Amino acid sequence: MTSSPAIVILGPSALATARRMQTLYPQAVIHGLRGRVEADQAYEDFGDTLRSLYRSGTPIIALCAAGIVIRSLAPLLASKGAEPPVLAVAEDGSAVVPLLGGLGGVNRMAREIATALDTRAAITTSGELRFGTCLLDPPSGYALADLEQGKRFVSDLLGGESLRIDGTAPWLNDASLPLAEDAGRTVRITTEQRPTQPDELLIHPRTLLVLVDKADDLAAAIRQAFEQSRLAPKSLAALLAPQALISDKRLAQVASELAVPLRFVRADDGLPPRVHRSENLQVLQADSPEAAQSMGRPRGRLSVIGLGPGAAEHMTPAVRRALDEAEDLLGYETYVKMAEPLRPEQVRHCSDNREELQRARHAFELAASGRRVVVISSGDPGVFAMAAAVLEALEEAGAPIDWNSVELEILPGVSAALATAAKVGAPLGHDFCLISLSDNLKPWAVIENRLDHAGAADLAMAFYNPISKARPWQLGRALEIVRQHRTPDTVVVLGRDIGRPAEALRVLDLGELTPDMVDMRTLVIIGSSQTRRFPRGDGGEWVYTPRSYPQS
Ligand code: SAH
């Protein structure tokens, strides 16, 4: 899967065009210069941003002069490695200039963008202009055998040679190639491993499948099978394995080394014909790359993720990746909205109900059918959130066996207590505890007991779920208990909607704190006896708990 493009703009005048391109690439992120334009993501330095996107292989659409892009990327161009597509687009959308990444599909992107913007792409690649296709960049499902040889082949065609096509190459039907029966050059589409010939452009269709019986010594066995059968490793479309091996990590490892998908088949799955057999594996040949891709089912994955407090920049890259790869997303509607941008084909299962176990079971059912599923929590998924519910559903007697075949991962996030603490300084800089004041799932007596002990132990405390319409008196009672252990000048921090547009932060004394200052979107931090506050330059206050107690 190629990653979605980054759209980079310098000012507000480019924003409208950028948004139009985002309808073409819904997952594209618009990067805007901080302080100049409000985009999806802010950057500080244009050149650094472009270079780091380029290095990470991200396709770049820069809405500015081509010269600026060229100068920014120049230092990276000397070494010719894998090149992501790079395009300059006029900020009013009137011109589209593909600059780099000819083999990464830049001309295809340029034409897509030009069509969307109702203009023309400035295609300058001779082969492409002449033949209406880039012979060296076949569509997915096909792989070019040898790039250097391919370049010579195309320049021969430009020099006047004609060609014929041997094999099935449906995408070349619309091209305007110099075809002739008695041509001196051949485009050969074959799974056969052949030495490169000067008069031949070799393209391997990804139609072969390796079906394994065991996961032992696979990499060597596959290499050997391809050598013996003279099949091209580039024709390998996927690794297939029986359902019984679904949890075997070695299979996933080998598939990732071979850069092919791993899929699982059941005994009753109809399989394509066999073209080679060795001890622990067989090679099968599908009719087309599409047929090969649709064999079997992938291992399902269930990622339980934490969004962090709200702002996109506090979300971890691992969580963003899981969201981007998800086919199904489950969670409260507010959180699913916070996970945007999402693509239209990603299925949102929003729920407002508090039936967390039911949601966990639904997630497992989807993942067990081979889908990539994300369960969304705010903050950290393991802090008063979905991770424990998911594990409870899994451990529960009677959970279907195939739930255990799901690849389950829990991806951490910045919890509300940590986000609030960081805003105000370091009130949790020494020992602390996190307590949910909700008695929905535990008896109130347990909560009172914990508050009493935490107070006696002089721990700083962070209260989650401090109050709600259904639980109006609990916070007041909690404060009574805390006040038995703390003086009225104990520092208190209230963080409301931290990391979200309505963010509000307040520092006060325990003596002043009343429950009406707090709602269910607030995180309450009660300092220890050592927690301190002092003015900061901007008129606010810093709060911190020293790392040590005074020596007595
Ligand atoms: N898993 C979440 C907590 C869920 S419990 C996390 O790790 O942050 C819900 C409680 O978390 C709310 O009642 C509130 O006390 C707190 N909370 C969650 N997000 C918050 C935010 N952005 N600002 C302040 N408090 C928040």
Side-chain angles (χ1 to χ4, degrees):
M1 197 203 308
T2 49
S3 50
S4 35
I7 303 173
V8 187
I9 62 175
L10 286 160
S13 47
L15 196 56
T17 306
R19 293 278 178 226
R20 280 170 77 192
M21 282 191 288
Q22 218 172 18
T23 55
L24 182 63
Y25 305 113
Q27 268 204 291
V29 175
I30 303 179
H31 300 250
L33 183 58
R34 191 185 295 282
R36 288 269 297 278
V37 53
E38 277 292 314
D40 302 336
Q41 204 162 308
Y43 68 81
E44 306 287 344
D45 182 280
F46 182 80
D48 289 347
T49 306
L50 236 53
R51 285 186 288 276
S52 92
L53 289 166
Y54 184 88
R55 281 199 206 91
S56 69
T58 309
I60 300 171
I61 306 170
L63 275 83
C64 63
I68 307 179
V69 182
I70 294 169
R71 241 187 302 280
S72 303
L73 294 179
L76 306 182
L77 300 182
S79 57
K80 193 162 172 165
E83 246 176 24
V86 179
L87 303 100
V89 174
E91 63 173 32
D92 64 358
S94 61
V96 181
V97 189
L99 293 172
L100 295 167
L103 300 174
V106 75
N107 288 331
R108 206 178 317 134
M109 273 181 79
R111 277 193 295 260
E112 280 167 12
I113 295 172
T115 307
L117 298 178
D118 201 16
T119 179
R120 266 189 61 159
I123 306 283
T124 53
T125 319
S126 354
E128 184 137 356
L129 286 173
R130 183 87 71 82
F131 309 131
T133 181
C134 178
L135 279 174
L136 304 183
D137 181 27
S140 71
Y142 297 85
L144 185 68
D146 182 337
L147 177 58
E148 288 312 313
Q149 195 276 334
K151 287 181 183 165
R152 284 193 298 275
F153 186 91
V154 171
S155 70
D156 288 351
L157 291 191
L158 289 168
E161 289 285 351
S162 55
L163 87 168
R164 54 196 196 88
I165 297 171
D166 180 3
T168 318
W171 75 99
L172 292 181
N173 291 345
D174 306 330
S176 38
L177 293 163
L179 296 177
E181 281 298 318
D182 57 349
R185 298 287 184 276
T186 309
V187 173
R188 181 156 286 128
I189 319 293
T190 176
T191 56
E192 188 192 341
Q193 176 75 347
R194 304 160 53 96
T196 42
Q197 312 281 345
D199 61 352
E200 176 174 287
L201 183 74
L202 196 54
I203 294 176
H204 297 303
R206 294 189 212 273
T207 50
L208 298 179
L209 299 153
V210 166
L211 173 60
V212 303
D213 311 332
K214 296 208 319 207
D216 307 271
D217 300 322
L218 257 188
I222 293 173
R223 212 174 311 119
Q224 218 179 13
F226 274 85
E227 270 165 26
Q228 279 172 4
S229 56
R230 297 230 178 80
L231 289 169
K234 283 193 174 176
S235 273
L236 182 60
L239 191 59
L240 300 181
Q243 194 80 14
L245 295 180
I246 200 160
S247 306
D248 198 312
K249 290 210 171 63
R250 291 169 300 175
L251 283 174
Q253 176 69 32
V254 172
S256 113
E257 277 164 26
L258 295 168
V260 295
L262 169 62
R263 300 172 68 92
F264 295 89
V265 290
R266 302 206 177 103
D268 55 355
D269 280 340
L271 294 172
R274 184 164 72 209
V275 288
H276 176 83
R277 160 152 213 117
S278 44
E279 204 179 330
N280 291 329
L281 62 84
Q282 31 188 322
V283 183
L284 315 174
Q285 166 122 42
D287 282 346
S288 66
E290 296 74 28
Q293 276 307 326
S294 64
M295 285 306 309
R297 284 151 298 278
R299 182 183 186 191
R301 189 173 72 193
L302 173 49
S303 312
V304 189
I305 63 103
L307 295 171
E313 57 187 356
H314 289 147
M315 185 189 289
T316 68
V319 165
R320 186 67 259 170
R321 199 176 326 118
L323 289 170
D324 290 345
E325 291 173 1
E327 294 166 290
D328 296 271
L329 302 115
L330 292 88
Y332 290 127
E333 192 166 0
T334 331
Y335 300 158
V336 176
K337 275 205 90 58
M338 272 166 63
E340 290 177 349
L342 299 171
R343 298 184 304 280
E345 72 270 20
Q346 293 182 292
V347 187
R348 304 162 185 225
H349 307 266
C350 298
S351 57
D352 253 336
N353 67 44
R354 313 211 151 244
E355 243 324 313
E356 272 136 2
L357 266 183
Q358 204 174 305
R359 189 186 306 147
R361 290 192 198 106
H362 185 193
F364 268 115
E365 266 151 33
L366 288 165
S369 75
R371 296 180 66 86
R372 274 176 284 181
V373 182
V374 166
V375 170
I376 305 177
S377 293
S378 78
D380 181 271
V383 177
F384 311 122
M386 282 305 294
V390 163
L391 291 171
E392 195 181 327
L394 181 62
E395 196 198 13
E396 222 176 45
I401 305 260
D402 56 355
W403 287 14
N404 277 304
S405 71
V406 167
E407 182 186 351
L408 174 61
E409 62 176 6
I410 292 149
L411 302 179
V414 177
S415 192
L418 306 184
T420 303
K423 278 280 162 205
V424 79
L428 309 179
H430 201 87
D431 300 343
F432 65 92
C433 63
L434 309 180
I435 302 182
S436 167
L437 295 193
S438 166
D439 55 354
N440 289 343
L441 300 167
K442 61 187 166 187
W444 178 250
V446 170
I447 301 176
E448 285 204 2
N449 185 37
R450 286 186 183 159
L451 290 167
D452 191 31
H453 281 85
D458 200 26
L459 292 169
M461 304 175 210
F463 295 160
Y464 287 73
N465 301 310
I467 199 164
S468 76
K469 282 205 188 75
R471 296 179 287 105
W473 55 264
Q474 282 85 338
L475 178 61
R477 174 71 193 123
L479 294 178
E480 273 172 39
I481 298 168
V482 169
R483 285 188 175 115
Q484 290 165 14
H485 301 279
R486 297 280 205 288
T487 56
D489 63 350
T490 302
V491 188
V492 168
V493 178
L494 303 179
R496 183 170 192 272
D497 277 336
I498 294 299
R500 303 175 190 172
E503 174 175 297
L505 188 71
R506 183 163 174 194
V507 181
L508 65 164
D509 285 347
L510 180 59
E512 299 169 75
L513 177 61
T514 52
D516 61 299
M517 299 172 180
V518 174
D519 67 5
M520 62 185 290
R521 283 149 67 180
T522 309
L523 186 284
V524 180
I525 297 180
I526 313 274
S528 76
S529 67
Q530 304 300 308
T531 304
R532 310 161 61 84
R533 56 200 278 193
F534 65 94
R536 53 169 126 185
D538 64 5
E541 274 182 294
W542 287 117
V543 174
Y544 77 105
T545 305
R547 293 162 304 145
S548 58
Y549 270 70
Q551 302 292 330
S552 52

